[in-house]
Amino acid sequence: MGLFYAYLGILGAALLLLPFLRVEAKGGIAIGASCALAMIGGYFAVLALSGHETGLILAGTQVTGPIPIRIDALSGWFILLINFTILTGGFYGLQYMKAYRDQKANLSLHCMAFLLVQSMLSLLCAVQNSLVFLFAWEIMALSAFLLVIFEHLKSDTIRAGINYLIQSHVSIVALMAGFIWVAYRMGSYDFQAIRDFSASFSHLNSLALFLVFFAGFGLKAGFVPFHTWLPYAHPAAPSHVSGLMSGVLIKIGIYGILRMILLVETDYLVLGFLLLFMGVISGLYGVMLAILQHNLKKLLAYHSIENIGIIGIGIGLGTIGLGLDNAALSTLGFAGAMLHVLNHSLFKSLLFFSAGNVYQATQSLNIEHFGGLIKKMPHTAGLFLVASLAICGLPPFNGFVSEFLIYSGLYLGLGNDSPVMLFGFVASLFGLVLIGGLAIFCFTKAFGAVFLGSPRREFAHVSEVGLGKLIPMYAVVVAMMSIGLFPGFYLELLSAPLAAFEAKMPGVQQAAGIPANIAGLMTDIGLCAAGLIALVGAVFFVRQRAGRRQPVMVGPTWGCGYVGDASRMQYTASSFVRTYRKLFEPLFSIHKKKKPVEGIFPEGGGHETHPYDKTELWLIDKPLKILKDFIGKFQFLQNGNPQFYIFYGVVFIALVILVPMLAEGLSFLLDFLNQL
Amino acid sequence: MLSLVLILLASLFFTGIIIRAKSLVSGRKGPGIFQPMKDVIRLWKKGSVFSRTTSFIFQIAPSVYFASVLMAILVVPFGKAPGLISFQGDFVFFAYVLALGKFFSIISALDTGSSFEGMGASREALFSMLVEPAFFIMMGSFAMLTGQSSFHDIFISLHFGSQISYALGVLATFLLIMIAMIENSRMPVDDPKTHLELTMVHEVMILDNSGFDLGLILYATNLKFAMYGALIANFFVGALPLAWAVLVFFAVQVVFAMLAGLLESFSARFRMNHNAEFIYTLTSLSLLIFFGVLLLMGKFI
């Protein structure tokens, strides 16, 4: 209890203090407060993960009723990973924001919003009262909006911010609808009421309730077709905020979905296949669009959708496991999903930080402008490479572990008997493999075009970033490697949250901890990862030894006989993906501008492609246009004339008074007529 | 361990047999079957030329590529003896380790900043992405059939009994041969002996590699061929006694190599823009295997 109030106290004190500090001190104090908050949150989280759940009930107010704070293992896992990424993001942001020291007021707002996002994300994992949950959700959404629009003088940024603001409120509406439905039926705001609700109503009702919640949480997580805000908001925000949003903010949606699976009792088989389907679609759609992007951060944002899809596949498998009373399947699915949540928060934030380094050095995010940055920024390039390998799920990095768990789940599912389910599993397998392949395609493009080759444009002052930025990034790499090499330890951490899911299967005998065969698998994978690193090292060592006495020459790249400057002829990112684009063209809407090279002395040709999101076209733009056309018909009301506005007010007041009077008169008249 | 030794042995002559078969078919005498290996050893003793444009990626990529192939070989079992690495779902690791090598070979091609090598890299990335589902679905089908999920367990418990299962064996062999041809960038997807850079895939990616690195890359190709040959051999070895198994292994390798040589002699390379479609048909082949397995198990209607 005391620690909880200390948490709120530190938050409040920091918020009050921040505006009055010198600009140099703001960041430091904010980070200090952030560390303290993370430590308290982490303490509870570690307690919960080791089996000691925290449960306390605050008195609350007359409106909210008692406010239960329950930190169970699931909350613990999410609180831990949220705070880790926020801390690294904070330390990185401290350096990143030095470039904006002149915007004093803006910086205080930024620091305050940062702390609010951190505390609200942690609180959301702990609070189990729907009203307070919605309040925290709203504060989080608003402060994330403030974080996004830091560079609010750019019109693109403010547009992206408002887009985000509106869409996150749509998600709140969906959540509100769900919670009101439960509160109306059960008369309680406690999350336990959701469990009671699904116990006392049919499975179909519970499924509908889950879908309402899924719309809300899925919008935050970025499942297709609820993803359209993501590719705008992430590039617009400063890089540490993008990393934070993509790493942990969207994961609160995943937390919500997992929490609802724990609470809602329904037909898990149907639900599981639905989630599996959503996952595959999101994964494929996200990565397919990511490949086409020219903006580095937008590319990464589409990859978040892909990874949410992979997490969705994991959750779907786990839920199917619940439906089939198959403990192994549910363990593999949920473990894969939750581990991937952590993995993605690590490598995606690292990717965004690297993109931030590139942005601050060049003031550009267009992939086609770069090239050869690896020579000027070797650390950034190396970090980006490590994160790319990890996000493609390649061993020996952490992404492989979670994807391997999900693959194992899919292969386990193939042991099933019903042909319909088998088709579902094979289709998902196909989807997941394709996602992996496309991710490799995408990241070879991104890494190759940005860091390799020769420069495509001259940038004035490109140099490696300072230690202040590199240290938090290397901290993330250490965390990533530890997962890749010691996956067993992390799976053991997950055993408490997994037990909560297993408790949903009353018919299945509960085993303590992770099943031995899966734990053994994790040891094998860790050993394989270590072996792979050792093998690469050994081969490289032999190569160095063998090459020591041989002559080494340096020359130009082989140009097939051409000896002039070939740097303008090198393959661009667009040409790298051209065959792919041609292959899948019918699925996208791409605006192309082409200026062919003509004549004996050509004036310079050009080729531009602007990929656009087809779902956005159909789900956002078209309905919006129809709505605008309809509302536009009433535009005459808004004529800018103050007298008219006063007149509207008078009409309104008159109606407010007259309508009840008329109604009363009418009922009086009816009574009178009845008596006749 | 046994499989590692056998694959290393087979890799010594595999490409040699392909070249010999091709030359015999075209009426030439051709080099000895150990010539490619001698070339590799010669390269290992040479100095190197590096492009000015390249960075440390170019230096480490061939080593990573080679190590990834070696690591994948460690997973391959032989008959009753599992590979050095064997666990449930090890074929996922197998495919992903190979993908790691591919990732590095692609970025090392991009590192040179050459237009030709970028072209090759783009094609390689696309083709290898398209070929992967076929392998995964095929392995999934056999996992379903045997109820096992590691290379060793699947192969050991695979029994050919009925006609359908023979058909499946043939299909799987064909699929593996095609995957091997694509992964090694041979006909009908890529022509290693073409003389025009514009029409190459894999060869154009390594234009700038020389010396020890080039030797590593070339030897990795030999190893990869022998590795796929070993996978095919495993389909037929099953639970044979060791002496027979070794015999069958080398027979399969030689037949596979000669087949590859014949295929290259009598077929032309596809047009580049039709390659993607061709590779996708392999996925439908793997789906055929899947349906066949369903039929075998009686799960299908």
Side-chain angles (χ1 to χ4, degrees):
Chain A
M1 195 68 116
L3 267 180
F4 181 74
Y5 284 118
Y7 190 88
L8 294 182
I10 293 172
L11 175 66
L15 289 183
L16 286 178
L17 197 62
L18 272 171
F20 303 105
L21 292 171
R22 280 182 305 116
V23 70
E24 291 83 14
K26 282 187 210 292
I29 294 293
I31 285 290
S34 173
C35 281
L37 294 181
M39 252 139 77
I40 298 176
Y43 169 71
F44 282 119
V46 171
L47 267 190
L49 281 175
S50 57
H52 306 284
E53 298 185 359
T54 309
L56 48 105
I57 294 183
L58 306 182
T61 62
Q62 211 165 14
V63 184
T64 58
I67 305 170
I69 307 271
R70 298 193 192 98
I71 304 178
D72 59 2
L74 181 66
S75 320
W77 177 255
F78 275 87
I79 290 178
L80 217 54
L81 71 93
I82 283 170
N83 279 304
F84 182 79
T85 299
I86 285 192
L87 272 191
T88 52
F91 277 106
Y92 176 83
L94 192 62
Q95 306 298 321
Y96 189 87
M97 280 306 181
K98 277 191 178 155
Y100 304 93
R101 279 262 164 96
D102 47 338
Q103 307 181 24
K104 285 181 189 147
N106 205 0
L107 270 183
S108 349
L109 194 62
H110 188 81
C111 291
M112 289 159 83
F114 189 86
L115 284 180
L116 275 174
V117 165
Q118 177 189 16
S119 49
M120 286 309 134
L121 282 174
S122 309
L123 209 61
L124 280 172
C125 296
V127 145
Q128 297 217 343
N129 174 303
S130 39
L131 265 185
V132 180
F133 186 87
L134 282 175
F135 271 114
W137 189 274
E138 176 72 24
I139 297 175
M140 174 203 62
L142 285 178
S143 28
F145 166 70
L146 291 177
L147 288 182
V148 169
I149 58 160
F150 180 76
E151 291 184 85
H152 58 272
L153 292 176
K154 289 186 184 166
S155 65
D156 279 351
T157 306
I158 207 87
R159 273 174 77 98
I162 288 175
N163 188 343
Y164 164 67
L165 191 68
I166 292 172
Q167 297 219 27
S168 59
H169 278 86
V170 175
S171 114
I172 292 176
V173 168
L175 292 184
M176 216 145 52
F179 285 131
I180 287 175
W181 189 2
V182 173
Y184 171 68
R185 290 289 182 193
M186 310 311 296
S188 160
Y189 292 124
D190 195 328
F191 273 16
Q192 294 306 319
I194 300 173
R195 182 170 286 161
D196 301 340
F197 175 95
S198 59
S200 49
F201 288 93
S202 75
H203 274 177
L204 208 60
N205 265 340
S206 309
L207 190 64
L209 178 70
F210 185 90
L211 289 184
V212 172
F213 281 123
F214 181 75
F217 288 124
L219 222 157
K220 196 81 198 168
F223 276 102
V224 172
F226 308 119
H227 66 282
T228 49
W229 62 273
L230 231 134
Y232 291 102
H234 289 191
S239 283
H240 61 289
V241 176
S242 325
L244 196 152
M245 285 182 81
S246 188
V248 296
L249 198 83
I250 60 175
K251 302 298 163 37
I252 201 72
I254 298 291
Y255 166 78
I257 291 169
L258 286 172
R259 174 64 69 200
M260 286 306 148
I261 291 175
L262 275 182
L263 290 173
V264 176
E265 299 276 350
T266 177
D267 188 349
Y268 286 120
L269 217 50
V270 176
L271 185 61
F273 272 101
L274 201 77
L275 288 170
L276 191 64
F277 178 72
M278 295 294 280
V280 174
I281 295 291
S282 306
L284 275 178
Y285 195 75
V287 71
M288 284 172 103
L289 271 168
I291 293 177
L292 298 174
Q293 303 306 319
H294 304 298
N295 180 315
L296 184 57
K297 275 169 126 185
K298 208 166 177 180
L299 181 147
L300 295 178
Y302 272 110
H303 262 283
S304 298
I305 300 168
E306 175 224 318
N307 278 282
I308 287 292
I310 295 176
I311 295 167
I313 295 176
I315 297 177
L317 280 176
T319 316
I320 293 170
L322 290 185
L324 293 172
D325 273 349
N326 186 339
L329 185 55
S330 95
T331 305
L332 286 173
F334 285 124
M338 282 193 275
L339 197 58
H340 202 73
V341 170
L342 170 63
N343 286 341
H344 180 244
S345 74
L346 295 175
F347 47 63
K348 186 47 73 68
S349 54
L350 186 55
L351 282 169
F352 270 116
F353 299 161
S354 315
N357 290 353
V358 171
Y359 175 69
Q360 287 208 322
T362 61
Q363 295 302 314
S364 168
L365 277 174
N366 191 336
I367 291 178
E368 309 285 6
H369 292 174
F370 304 127
L373 286 181
I374 194 169
K375 297 201 187 63
K376 301 214 173 109
M377 311 174 83
H379 285 282
T380 305
L383 289 162
F384 192 92
L385 177 64
V386 168
S388 311
L389 291 170
I391 201 174
C392 293
L394 297 173
F397 299 99
N398 56 348
F400 178 70
V401 179
S402 43
E403 287 197 23
F404 179 83
L405 284 169
I406 294 173
Y407 271 115
S408 303
L410 278 173
Y411 280 115
L412 192 68
L414 282 178
N416 206 273
D417 269 334
S418 130
V420 182
M421 280 194 219
L422 284 179
F423 287 129
F425 286 127
V426 163
S428 317
L429 184 63
F430 176 73
L432 189 56
V433 177
L434 210 56
I435 291 170
L438 287 165
I440 291 176
F441 191 56
C442 186
F443 274 98
T444 45
K445 163 196 151 169
F447 181 72
V450 175
F451 292 104
L452 303 177
S454 23
R456 295 184 177 83
R457 242 178 223 204
E458 288 305 320
F459 293 107
H461 314 288
V462 180
S463 61
E464 187 54 89
V465 294
L467 267 183
K469 274 184 191 167
L470 288 178
I471 288 173
M473 293 170 81
Y474 276 110
V476 178
V477 172
V478 169
M480 279 164 57
M481 290 311 297
S482 74
I483 300 177
L485 292 174
F486 308 106
F489 169 73
Y490 287 87
L491 210 67
E492 204 53 49
L493 270 186
L494 271 173
S495 61
L498 286 172
F501 285 103
E502 245 173 62
K504 302 285 286 181
M505 295 177 284
V508 177
Q509 182 119 49
Q510 282 197 42
I514 299 294
N517 59 335
I518 299 180
L521 269 183
M522 289 296 108
T523 323
D524 285 340
I525 288 183
L527 285 177
C528 285
L532 182 60
I533 294 173
L535 196 58
V536 169
V539 173
F540 191 65
F541 177 73
V542 170
R543 171 197 185 268
Q544 295 298 79
R545 287 297 291 249
R548 223 170 32 178
R549 283 195 210 93
Q550 310 299 344
V552 172
M553 285 194 300
V554 174
T557 297
W558 168 241
C560 300
Y562 182 73
V563 288
D565 176 29
S567 64
R568 300 231 339 131
M569 283 161 47
Q570 63 182 326
Y571 236 47
T572 60
S574 297
S575 34
F576 189 76
V577 300
R578 181 176 174 276
T579 327
Y580 161 82
R581 177 167 59 78
K582 291 267 176 205
L583 203 61
F584 292 102
E585 190 130 37
L587 295 174
F588 310 125
S589 88
I590 304 171
H591 306 295
K592 276 186 277 193
K593 261 188 240 158
K594 209 170 187 173
K595 194 174 161 216
V597 181
E598 278 169 343
I600 301 170
F601 302 106
E603 292 263 313
H607 185 224
E608 281 178 38
T609 54
H610 300 280
Y612 195 70
D613 195 337
K614 234 179 189 172
T615 30
E616 189 176 3
L617 192 69
W618 285 99
L619 285 178
I620 309 278
D621 295 353
K622 294 241 158 127
L624 213 59
K625 190 174 171 301
I626 295 170
L627 191 69
K628 254 184 175 168
D629 283 351
F630 178 72
I631 291 175
K633 300 221 188 315
F634 302 96
Q635 214 172 13
F636 67 91
L637 290 173
Q638 195 181 20
N639 51 13
N641 202 335
Q643 287 94 325
F644 270 91
Y645 294 154
I646 294 168
F647 170 67
Y648 298 150
V650 170
V651 168
F652 177 73
I653 293 168
L655 281 177
V656 166
I657 297 168
L658 278 180
V659 168
M661 274 173 72
L662 273 177
E664 207 171 312
L666 206 64
S667 71
F668 179 75
L669 192 69
L670 286 176
D671 279 351
F672 180 71
L673 287 176
N674 278 341
Q675 280 170 14
L676 279 180
Chain B
M1 200 62 204
L2 187 57
S3 56
L4 177 67
V5 176
L6 285 175
I7 290 173
L8 284 178
L9 280 178
S11 71
L12 298 180
F13 60 79
F14 197 98
T15 333
I17 293 184
I18 297 182
I19 293 173
R20 193 62 183 267
K22 278 170 82 174
S23 48
L24 284 179
V25 166
S26 59
R28 288 177 287 122
K29 188 166 167 253
I33 57 169
F34 291 108
Q35 189 56 45
M37 203 54 221
K38 287 179 191 159
D39 290 345
V40 168
I41 292 171
R42 185 168 45 89
L43 280 170
W44 277 345
K45 292 179 187 157
K46 284 197 157 206
S48 336
V49 185
F50 290 108
S51 158
R52 210 168 278 128
T53 322
T54 58
S55 63
F56 69 89
I57 299 289
F58 195 76
Q59 306 275 337
I60 59 168
S63 307
V64 177
Y65 179 63
F66 187 77
S68 79
V69 175
L70 268 187
M71 198 72 187
I73 288 173
L74 294 184
V75 181
V76 177
F78 179 69
K80 284 183 207 154
L84 261 187
I85 301 167
S86 176
F87 51 89
Q88 282 174 12
D90 53 4
F91 51 87
V92 177
F93 180 73
F94 172 84
Y96 268 72
V97 151
L98 285 179
L100 175 75
K102 193 142 283 176
F103 192 105
F104 269 91
S105 72
I106 292 167
I107 58 173
S108 105
L110 290 174
D111 198 14
T112 59
S114 143
S115 52
F116 299 105
E117 289 175 53
M119 195 180 293
S122 156
R123 288 169 182 164
E124 175 109 348
L126 187 69
F127 296 162
S128 56
M129 164 205 109
L130 292 175
V131 77
E132 265 182 15
F135 177 75
F136 275 87
I137 292 179
M138 184 188 79
M139 288 317 292
S141 311
F142 284 115
M144 208 163 92
L145 183 65
T146 56
Q148 306 289 348
S149 56
S150 79
F151 265 140
H152 174 247
D153 295 340
I154 288 176
F155 287 134
I156 208 89
S157 46
L158 201 61
H159 299 293
F160 290 121
S162 62
Q163 282 99 333
I164 302 176
S165 65
Y166 278 110
L168 285 185
V170 172
L171 265 180
T173 309
F174 177 73
L175 200 60
L176 275 176
I177 292 178
M178 276 345 260
I179 291 174
M181 297 300 266
I182 294 167
E183 289 276 323
N184 286 311
S185 305
R186 311 290 292 210
M187 292 285 204
V189 169
D190 183 18
D191 186 355
K193 286 283 167 256
T194 179
H195 60 279
L196 185 61
E197 288 86 348
L198 279 175
T199 59
M200 298 177 181
V201 180
H202 184 71
E203 297 299 311
V204 72
M205 286 172 67
I206 54 173
L207 273 181
D208 267 279
N209 286 98
S210 54
F212 194 86
D213 285 347
L214 186 60
L216 275 185
I217 294 170
L218 292 182
Y219 187 50
T221 309
N222 299 354
L223 278 176
K224 248 178 160 178
F225 256 128
M227 176 182 77
Y228 280 105
L231 278 187
I232 296 171
N234 267 311
F235 270 106
F236 302 104
V237 168
L240 285 180
L242 189 65
W244 278 102
V246 172
L247 207 66
V248 169
F249 177 86
F250 282 110
V252 166
Q253 294 281 11
V254 170
V255 171
F256 175 32
M258 290 201 306
L259 256 178
L262 288 177
L263 196 73
E264 297 213 328
S265 306
F266 289 107
S267 69
R269 186 176 61 72
F270 288 134
R271 274 176 63 189
M272 221 33 118
N273 49 355
H274 287 315
N275 269 340
E277 293 148 37
F278 166 71
I279 295 171
Y280 244 122
T281 54
L282 293 184
T283 306
S284 48
L285 261 183
S286 70
L287 279 178
L288 267 184
I289 296 181
F290 173 69
F291 287 128
V293 168
L294 282 188
L295 269 178
L296 260 186
M297 302 181 76
K299 283 181 181 177
F300 207 31
I301 309 170

